[in-house]
Amino acid sequence: MEVEQIEIRENLRQHPPFELLTEQGLDEVAANVEVTYYRSGSPIVSIDDRIGDLHYIRSGSVEIYRRGGEIQNRLGEGEVFGQLGVMTGKPARYSVRALEDSLIYFIPGEVFKKLLDEQEAFADYLELEDRARLRQAASVGTAASEFMTTRVGKLISREPVMVPEATSIQEAAIEMAEYDVSSLVIYSGSPPVATQAAVAMDDQQVMTGIVTNSDLVKRVLARGLAHDRPVSEVMSSELVTVEEDSFLFEALLMMLRKNIKHLPVLHRGRPAGVIDLSDVVSHETQNSLFVVRSIFQQNSVDELKALLPDVSACFVRMVREDANSHMIGSAIAAIGRSFKQRLLELGQEALGPPPVPYCFLALGSMARDEQFMYTDQDNAMVLHDDYDPKLHGKYFSQLATFVCDGLAQVGYRYCKGGIMATNDRWRIPLAAWKKTFEQWIEKPKPEALLHSSIFFDLDGVHGATRMADELKALISSQASQSPRFLGCLARNAQNRTPPLGFFKDFVLEKSGRYQETLNLKRRGTGPLVDVIRVHALASASLSQNSFRRLEDVLAAGFLTSGMTADLRDALEFIAIIRARHQAADIETGRRPNNNVDPESLSRLERRSLKDAFNVLSNAQKFLKFRYRP
């Protein structure tokens, strides 16, 4: 092989998809390449030209124009164009012009088509457009664990044992013993003819609660309650249920989040069975999410702090088991909520019961179930409208301080912006919260919303969580009716642009500790979340999670299926690259961060990352036209 051909082969080898070729394939390409030089501004392809060769940019750059004269794309060294024309035989739909002095390799169509036939990996890469390639990259390796794909219904081994509300406590205990179950489903209506006739409840009978063996111990025996009292007096009436087609990991997270051990399973809204934590344990004894269980067994901040290695191991294990970003984010958020809940319990043990009802709020990534390992604590507190600062202020100030200091001890950094319940501004009654949101929505100011957008991702963690639900309902109903608010929010969502340069090369951090890296949160997942939030609020979505919000946005017709799929794939891919980077940091003993050196990624990952950033760029541009302040 000639020296010039060797140089061509070695250059091709450095770039996808040629890196996927065998040595024989590379040799064949190099032996048949024709090289042409184009001066800046020279046309390379004109619209309706017949394209017989694959074009490879050896050096320089080109611009691709649509028929109307708009720029469609810019390509640089190592990228190709013309593949669709060669594969389809149709005339060129775009024109291509040299942006600067450029050297182009022409790979004959016959050689190119032969490679497509013989080299499967090469063909798969080129036959996928950017959108499809990103979708493929985002889906690789997700949900490999059986735990992540098993449906709850698989664990149901028997119909639920059910009794009416009027059943006595003693009769209920007899039923549990006879059928050897640890829980009973309670329903309203007449007593059944036979013990389990209630399984086939009629339309007038409604499931109203559940009683467990633990309830009988704590609420009956421990209190000396008469056994002839109706079982409805000791049942848990705030029901938490799951549909049988839900994933097992979702059911587990729900049980851990609510700190419950029994979960009724529904089929089309009717009880089909009950699973308990032991069912899940027996199915998946090694799953790392059980660290949450141990949080509620700790009795001090120091004991909670001792669980940090287990939290890190939980995160790393999920990443290595190829869980997707939604599963990882939900699990880590459940751990964060559990820390908050246990700290609030410990605080109340020390300070006494709260003088008025309250709700502790999670904000930001924890509320969205998108939390990873390197995060601030963003929280707030909603107080009942009976709150009197003179009578109750000291209690809630001390409780907030105890919780936020405790969170700092267990790895959640203090929020630099002061968005914490220790801030008097974010520890106010429900009526004041409603007024605050109404002001943000009715009289929006971009500067104010820039620092308050995190409050539009909220979730009740502990206490009277119905107050959080009231705030969500208010936001959903009012935000969608305020074009000015949406316009201001959309403008802010365009502030953090993706790190892509003029020629689609990465723009790296220029200074500081993380220079020459990409911040995947600040310049990737963060602005994607901002974009999705705008569309979600416009469509009156009540969801908090970004993936759930996209489902609502699509259902409301605010974006096309292609646009929502692109946003979902871009968010998933950037998030999973970020998760893998953090897991690698933990495994090597480094403090996890969000800054990735692109040179540490494979060529395919770098290409897919550019695709994802391009989706973000296009999504931000769309906001300019869709929402105007």
Side-chain angles (χ1 to χ4, degrees):
M1 180 176 287
E2 300 291 336
V3 174
E4 182 181 348
Q5 293 176 348
I6 294 175
E7 193 277 334
I8 291 174
R9 183 190 65 185
E10 294 308 307
N11 181 269
L12 290 169
R13 190 198 299 275
Q14 299 176 31
H15 300 281
F18 301 97
E19 63 178 357
L20 303 173
L21 292 176
T22 62
E23 290 296 320
Q24 182 179 352
L26 281 169
D27 289 344
E28 185 170 5
V29 173
N32 289 280
V33 160
E34 292 186 8
V35 183
T36 302
Y37 173 77
Y38 291 89
R39 294 187 65 83
S40 175
S42 301
I44 301 174
V45 176
S46 298
I47 290 176
D48 294 331
D49 279 355
R50 291 287 176 177
I51 300 178
D53 304 304
L54 179 68
H55 297 62
Y56 172 90
I57 304 172
R58 172 62 178 83
S59 63
S61 59
V62 305
E63 287 185 328
I64 301 177
Y65 294 87
R66 295 188 176 91
R67 191 175 294 271
E70 307 90 352
I71 293 179
Q72 191 272 339
N73 205 352
R74 292 188 178 92
L75 302 177
E77 180 178 348
E79 296 188 279
V80 298
F81 58 95
Q83 62 267 38
L84 291 179
V86 178
M87 288 189 289
T88 64
K90 295 182 179 180
R93 297 169 52 209
Y94 305 103
S95 62
V96 183
R97 185 179 301 274
L99 183 62
E100 57 184 335
D101 293 351
S102 302
L103 202 63
I104 307 295
Y105 290 170
F106 285 76
I107 301 171
E110 295 76 14
V111 175
F112 175 51
K113 291 177 181 178
K114 182 180 179 182
L115 293 175
L116 292 177
D117 291 337
E118 298 176 354
Q119 310 265 339
E120 185 174 355
F122 178 85
D124 286 345
Y125 186 97
L126 273 176
E127 288 175 356
L128 294 169
E129 295 187 27
D130 288 351
R131 176 184 296 173
R133 181 169 57 248
L134 175 60
R135 186 144 308 138
Q136 184 183 59
S139 65
V140 169
T142 58
S145 168
E146 181 185 358
F147 179 75
M148 302 300 177
T149 57
T150 300
R151 304 286 181 175
V152 172
K154 183 177 179 180
L155 271 66
I156 298 177
S157 58
R158 63 184 301 166
E159 296 175 329
V161 180
M162 307 175 67
V163 298
E165 292 177 334
T167 303
S168 71
I169 293 172
Q170 184 173 9
E171 291 172 332
I174 292 173
E175 295 296 305
M176 293 174 69
E178 180 176 347
Y179 286 93
D180 191 25
V181 293
S182 59
S183 65
L184 292 175
V185 170
I186 312 300
Y187 70 96
S188 62
S190 304
V193 176
T195 301
Q196 282 190 270
V199 172
M201 295 187 304
D202 59 39
D203 293 338
Q204 282 69 47
Q205 295 169 330
V206 179
M207 180 171 57
T208 56
I210 185 171
V211 167
T212 68
N213 48 13
S214 177
D215 294 330
L216 295 181
V217 171
K218 294 179 181 179
R219 301 174 182 177
V220 180
L221 295 178
R223 298 178 182 177
L225 192 66
H227 297 176
D228 60 354
R229 302 300 301 165
V231 71
S232 58
E233 291 186 7
V234 296
M235 71 180 183
S236 298
S237 57
E238 294 187 5
L239 280 171
V240 179
T241 62
V242 66
E243 290 289 336
E244 65 178 354
D245 61 350
S246 297
F247 289 114
L248 181 57
F249 92 94
E250 294 177 312
L252 173 62
L253 289 175
M254 190 177 298
M255 296 170 81
L256 297 176
R257 179 177 175 181
K258 300 294 185 180
N259 195 24
I260 57 176
K261 296 181 180 179
H262 295 80
L263 189 63
V265 180
L266 305 182
H267 172 69
R268 297 179 181 176
R270 311 295 282 176
V274 178
I275 62 171
D276 62 41
L277 207 51
S278 62
D279 294 324
V280 184
V281 171
S282 64
H283 182 81
E284 184 72 24
T285 57
Q286 299 301 313
N287 192 274
S288 56
L289 297 184
F290 286 101
V291 66
V292 174
R293 232 180 132 191
S294 65
I295 290 175
F296 293 99
Q297 299 170 351
Q298 310 309 309
N299 295 308
S300 70
V301 175
D302 287 339
E303 290 180 10
L304 290 173
K305 186 177 180 180
L307 296 177
L308 289 181
D310 295 334
V311 177
S312 296
C314 161
F315 178 81
V316 171
R317 203 166 299 140
M318 291 195 76
V319 173
R320 298 308 175 215
E321 289 176 355
D322 289 328
N324 63 34
S325 71
H326 179 39
M327 297 170 183
I328 297 170
S330 296
I332 301 305
I335 289 174
R337 287 191 183 92
S338 299
F339 275 127
K340 286 183 177 178
Q341 290 164 354
R342 187 57 184 147
L343 285 167
L344 285 160
E345 291 172 351
L346 293 174
Q348 290 177 193
E349 289 175 11
L351 298 172
V356 296
Y358 75 96
C359 174
F360 201 87
L361 296 179
L363 304 171
S365 60
M366 185 181 292
R368 296 194 308 271
D369 283 338
E370 297 169 18
Q371 195 159 53
F372 284 0
M373 293 299 294
Y374 188 62
T375 184
D376 293 345
Q377 51 170 294
D378 300 305
N379 53 66
M381 193 179 288
V382 185
L383 307 173
H384 192 276
D385 287 336
D386 290 339
Y387 169 76
D388 184 332
K390 293 181 180 180
L391 298 176
H392 314 136
K394 182 178 179 181
Y395 176 93
F396 287 110
S397 175
Q398 290 178 335
L399 181 62
T401 298
F402 178 85
V403 173
C404 291
D405 288 348
L407 287 171
Q409 288 292 307
V410 298
Y412 298 86
R413 301 167 301 172
Y414 293 114
C415 176
K416 294 179 181 179
I419 301 177
M420 297 181 291
T422 50
N423 188 333
D424 293 345
R425 185 181 179 188
W426 310 128
R427 193 179 65 253
I428 55 179
L430 177 60
W433 274 110
K434 290 181 177 179
K435 184 177 180 181
T436 297
F437 277 108
E438 287 170 352
Q439 289 177 338
W440 281 335
I441 294 171
E442 294 174 4
K443 300 178 181 179
K445 296 180 180 179
E447 296 77 13
L449 290 179
L450 187 63
H451 303 291
S452 61
S453 59
I454 192 172
F455 289 94
F456 292 91
D457 303 335
L458 66 87
D459 193 33
V461 170
H462 188 77
T465 55
R466 63 182 182 278
M467 292 195 284
D469 295 336
E470 286 188 45
L471 293 178
K472 291 179 190 177
L474 181 146
I475 294 168
S476 173
S477 63
Q478 295 193 11
S480 61
Q481 303 301 314
S482 176
R484 187 181 172 197
F485 165 75
L486 295 171
C488 289
L489 208 63
R491 192 173 99 178
N492 288 343
Q494 300 166 46
N495 289 338
R496 297 186 291 180
T497 56
L500 288 179
F502 191 70
F503 300 112
K504 285 194 174 181
D505 52 337
F506 290 124
V507 176
L508 307 180
E509 301 288 327
K510 297 302 182 184
S511 60
R513 180 181 177 185
Y514 298 112
Q515 61 180 333
E516 303 303 316
T517 64
L518 300 169
N519 189 304
L520 295 184
K521 180 179 180 181
R522 187 172 67 247
R523 303 290 295 277
T525 57
L528 273 168
V529 166
D530 292 341
V531 168
I532 294 169
R533 182 191 298 114
V534 175
H535 294 307
L537 292 175
S539 61
S541 170
L542 285 168
S543 299
Q544 303 296 300
N545 177 261
S546 295
F547 296 104
R548 301 292 190 201
R549 282 174 164 174
L550 283 173
E551 294 174 2
D552 293 344
V553 169
L554 176 61
F558 274 74
L559 294 177
T560 66
S561 58
M563 295 168 76
T564 53
D566 286 349
L567 287 169
R568 181 185 63 243
D569 294 332
L571 180 59
E572 171 63 28
F573 185 75
I574 299 175
I576 209 65
I577 292 293
R578 178 181 161 218
R580 291 171 186 167
H581 169 72
Q582 291 191 351
D585 281 345
I586 292 170
E587 289 179 312
T588 55
R590 298 191 301 269
R591 184 180 180 183
N593 60 67
N594 299 307
N595 291 78
V596 173
D597 179 359
E599 293 303 315
S600 68
L601 305 175
S602 70
R603 289 188 179 90
L604 182 57
E605 286 174 328
R606 290 198 297 271
R607 181 67 181 266
S608 297
L609 196 56
K610 290 181 180 179
D611 292 341
F613 286 144
N614 194 48
V615 168
L616 170 57
S617 178
N618 290 335
Q620 289 179 324
K621 293 174 184 175
F622 179 75
L623 288 179
K624 293 181 181 179
F625 302 99
R626 181 65 179 80
Y627 307 100
R628 297 180 182 274

